[in-house]
Amino acid sequence: DTGIDENSCLFYDSVNGHVTRTPKNGAGVVEKGQRKVIQYVQYVDDEDEEYGHGSHVAGSIAGKMYTGADTTGAYVYDDTEAMGAEKYLITDTTKPDSTYRWSASESKGMAHEAKIAFFDIGDSSGGLDTPGNLATDLFPYAKDAGAKIHSDSWGTSYNGYSTDDIGIDQ
């Protein structure tokens, strides 16, 4: 997807920091001791577009709000006004709660106890660059990290069965 923002309260890890990045075509690094993101393959880059799709999708699937004592650097997105998102530090008491109230019991993904192995195919402007051969250049990283489920929420304006679709189905 477009990237994942590890400073989001859904992925934040004050003990271990950010997971070590695996460069394009590099040997996959897996850090099982991380709170949420255990692998980050920077196929294109290592950042998400602003208010990014990758962070949204990963958070909806496996995010879990950070509830540790040290929240320095973690932030939330205030989504109280449609398309007027603003990020602010989770410790900023001058900001209003979002519509989700940012409670740990409500701010979590469907599989919130899962860990995330992330493959970044997006640039900071939202463009995507998928590997030419998904079977050899994308899926092995997830398998090596122990992934049992793979989400490919890439989207396209093409209304047909593409080579990426074929690669995923194989």
Side-chain angles (χ1 to χ4, degrees), residues 23-166:
K24 183 176 184 174
N25 302 322
V29 176
V30 180
E31 298 174 357
K32 301 248 181 187
Q34 292 282 352
R35 186 181 83 83
K36 268 287 138 198
V37 182
I38 64 169
Q39 180 186 60
Y40 196 115
V41 179
Q42 56 184 44
Y43 185 76
V44 174
D45 63 20
D46 70 343
E47 56 189 64
D48 199 0
E49 60 181 314
E50 190 171 17
Y51 314 120
H53 187 259
S55 295
H56 164 74
V57 172
S60 296
I61 294 171
K64 183 176 182 182
M65 185 173 177
Y66 177 75
T67 58
D70 181 8
T71 55
T72 305
Y75 56 77
V76 296
Y77 287 101
D78 176 11
D79 60 355
T80 53
E81 294 185 31
M83 302 307 289
E86 172 188 358
K87 73 180 181 186
Y88 57 89
L89 293 175
I90 199 169
T91 54
D92 188 346
T93 57
T94 66
K95 298 290 184 178
D97 285 339
S98 79
T99 54
Y100 299 105
R101 302 277 184 250
W102 298 111
S103 72
S105 64
E106 295 174 4
S107 298
K108 56 189 174 186
M110 295 172 281
H112 56 272
E113 295 300 325
K115 302 276 184 150
I116 298 168
F118 199 86
F119 196 96
D120 186 342
I121 63 169
D123 61 32
S124 60
S125 65
L128 302 178
D129 179 16
T130 57
N133 186 331
L134 300 178
T136 60
D137 300 332
L138 183 138
F139 293 128
Y141 288 101
K143 182 179 179 188
D144 290 347
K148 305 293 184 211
I149 296 172
H150 205 278
S151 173
D152 304 309
S153 183
W154 304 334
T156 180
S157 59
Y158 176 66
N159 187 18
Y161 194 62
S162 71
T163 54
D164 281 343
D165 299 325
I166 294 167

